[in-house]
Amino acid sequence: MRVLLTVFAAKTHLFNLVPLAWALRSAGHDVRVASQPDLMDAVTRAGLTGVPVGDELRMGGGAGGGSAGPTAQTFQGVSGDLVWADERDADWERLLGAFTVGCSVQYEYFAGGAMLDELVELARDWRPDLVVWDALTFAGAIAARACGAAHARMLFGLDYVSRGYLRYRELLRRQPPELWDDPVSDWLRGRLDRYGLGFAEPDALELMTGQWSIDPTPPGMQFPLGLRYVPVRQVPYNGPAAVPDWIHEPRTRPRVALSLGMSGRDLMGGDTIPVEWLLAGLADLDVELVATLSAAQLASVSALPDRVRAVEFVPLNDLLPTCAAVVHHGGFGTVVNVLTHGVPNLTVPAPWWDEADLGRGIAERGAGLVVEPAALGPDSLRDGLARLLNEPAFAEGAARVREELLAVPSPHDLVPAIEALTAEHGSWR
């Protein structure tokens, strides 16, 4: 069958799709990846066939730094309104605001009119049997509808969008007729009208949540939403890289990795975690600290402490098996690497999406600790890492979570289920 994968131009979101793309291709299916032109180098370096659609997104702003669009501010604002610990906090005004801004600004920016036009043209010309779309690239659902393909979302972490949208629909039904306001349906209807496609209210749920969702969220962290989810074990993909020789050199002290991921430095205009605090809090311990930080991230640090090795990039999939612990920001790609290798870990959550909830989920399973932003400082970091290194229960918890993760079907194992679901929802046999 023909499979079209689509994702907005962010490498971290592409990397989330790569293992599934490889599995489908290895099973004999024809796979293409459609995104804005500035992602094509990363697509082809992953060994996949890319199709550029629309204009460059330039999320990181290119050489000038800073976001080229509204994402640095709106991404945090919209995601924050979709994150809650108590459903009573998710009132109508909050969700109406989140989806109004999401549809008109954030989602539209990620996959706007130029990308959507060319994606629909590609889909109608190439006629894929299945469209798999990143869970913030709603253009994929529209393109699938335009060509009659089955379609599925690929989640990149906790499904805040579906949880928020289901709550939004529930609260919308309670509004009096004179206050009825549904920007999500209005936005979807406008996109379908653009291509001569009809819209009915039941269509909105499918276009926002997919005919089914491929879910790489670690076991025990999913929301019970009643939608159709197909679990998959995310195989870490860190991009093309060579393993440096020093990784396998003999060590005289425990090795600890420090990773703040790529999104903050590449897409969001900078990290929110003070690097000097991290180094000050971690370098006093008798460890070898490998800090995966760029020159820009280290600009505020006058001198590196002893026993700190700073490298701009090293594949976590190769570094983490040599580590006794890892300190990280809670990003989904990093979490997948950490849990896959069963490393006790300390989460200092970034504010972009589900970092705090993922970190708390890991801590609840006994595999790590969380330093909440309000408690962040050198002492809290030092004390947390010392516990990870000295209390065996964290290594035991991390090993248990790893075993649970390895029991989830791999992308290779998932291919027959995807074929069956495509046949159920489309025309492929």
Side-chain angles (χ1 to χ4, degrees):
M1 65 182 179
R2 290 179 172 179
V3 183
L4 178 63
L5 281 69
T6 188
V7 57
F8 68 97
K11 285 197 296 185
T12 52
H13 286 244
L14 168 68
F15 289 0
N16 186 53
L17 283 163
V18 166
L20 179 65
W22 282 344
L24 290 164
R25 188 73 183 91
S26 297
H29 299 299
D30 194 357
V31 176
R32 295 184 183 180
V33 181
S35 183
Q36 288 96 348
D38 39 332
L39 196 66
M40 288 300 102
D41 181 63
V43 172
T44 56
R45 285 166 63 84
L48 299 169
T49 299
V51 183
V53 288
D55 303 320
E56 287 194 352
L57 188 64
R58 298 183 67 249
M59 260 193 82
S67 176
T71 56
Q73 292 76 32
T74 60
F75 194 87
Q76 186 175 353
V78 173
S79 65
D81 282 339
L82 293 178
V83 179
W84 61 77
D86 189 329
E87 191 177 73
R88 289 173 295 183
D89 295 330
D91 58 26
W92 173 240
E93 288 74 18
R94 175 175 179 165
L95 291 173
L96 177 62
F99 282 109
T100 298
V101 175
C103 290
S104 62
V105 180
Q106 186 186 39
Y107 309 154
E108 190 69 26
Y109 171 65
F110 288 157
M115 177 186 179
L116 181 58
D117 286 344
E118 294 186 21
L119 186 65
V120 168
E121 182 180 1
L122 167 65
R124 285 176 164 173
D125 178 64
W126 194 52
R127 308 295 299 180
D129 301 286
L130 171 66
V131 177
V132 178
W133 47 281
D134 165 83
L136 285 177
T137 312
F138 297 100
I142 303 297
R145 178 66 63 89
C147 70
H151 65 98
R153 286 188 310 160
M154 180 69 180
L155 298 180
F156 54 83
L158 300 181
D159 195 2
Y160 291 139
V161 171
S162 290
R163 184 181 69 165
Y165 184 60
L166 291 173
R167 175 68 172 163
Y168 165 94
R169 288 167 62 91
E170 174 190 344
L171 295 174
L172 177 64
R173 288 192 291 268
R174 301 180 190 173
Q175 302 307 305
E178 65 272 16
L179 296 179
W180 187 273
D181 187 7
D182 186 3
V184 176
S185 292
D186 292 343
W187 180 66
L188 293 170
R189 182 183 292 106
R191 289 186 145 209
L192 291 170
D193 285 348
R194 190 180 182 106
Y195 309 106
L197 303 170
F199 175 82
E201 287 303 324
D203 296 336
L205 181 62
E206 178 186 303
L207 294 171
M208 290 294 291
T209 66
Q211 292 173 326
W212 74 91
S213 296
I214 302 167
D215 189 2
T217 310
M221 297 187 189
Q222 296 88 350
F223 297 135
L225 299 178
L227 299 173
R228 192 168 194 175
Y229 292 93
V230 180
V232 65
R233 170 165 47 90
Q234 187 65 311
V235 177
Y237 172 71
N238 306 144
V243 180
D245 292 339
W246 57 261
I247 278 188
H248 301 296
E249 291 175 355
R251 297 179 297 281
T252 59
R253 52 180 55 89
R255 175 177 285 168
V256 175
L258 168 62
S259 174
L260 300 182
M262 294 187 295
S263 293
R265 71 188 193 187
D266 291 349
L267 304 178
M268 300 299 180
D271 298 301
T272 59
I273 304 168
V275 171
E276 59 271 26
W277 283 14
L278 292 173
L279 295 180
L282 302 177
D284 287 350
L285 296 172
D286 187 23
V287 299
E288 174 198 348
L289 182 65
V290 179
T292 59
L293 301 171
S294 68
Q297 289 172 303
L298 291 169
S300 63
V301 180
S302 57
L304 285 176
D306 293 339
R307 301 192 299 274
V308 174
R309 183 193 299 269
V311 291
E312 181 160 350
F313 175 79
V314 61
L316 291 180
N317 196 43
D318 298 289
L319 173 62
L320 292 183
T322 72
C323 293
V326 56
V327 178
H328 62 92
H329 67 304
F332 185 73
T334 301
V335 166
V336 166
N337 279 270
V338 169
L339 297 185
T340 296
H341 296 292
V343 186
N345 59 101
L346 178 67
T347 304
V348 184
W352 310 125
W353 189 246
D354 56 358
E355 293 86 354
D357 280 345
L358 287 175
R360 292 170 193 140
I362 294 171
E364 289 168 2
R365 308 300 298 279
L369 295 167
V370 179
V371 175
E372 301 289 354
L376 179 61
D379 291 342
S380 60
L381 292 166
R382 184 184 305 111
D383 294 346
L385 180 56
R387 287 190 62 192
L388 292 182
L389 294 172
N390 295 319
E391 297 180 23
F394 292 108
E396 295 166 0
R400 286 194 303 271
V401 173
R402 178 178 185 270
E403 289 303 312
E404 293 174 1
L405 190 65
L406 293 178
V408 177
S410 71
H412 169 81
D413 298 329
L414 194 65
V415 170
I418 291 175
E419 293 170 343
L421 286 165
T422 303
E424 177 183 338
H425 291 279
S427 60
W428 182 78
R429 293 291 188 274

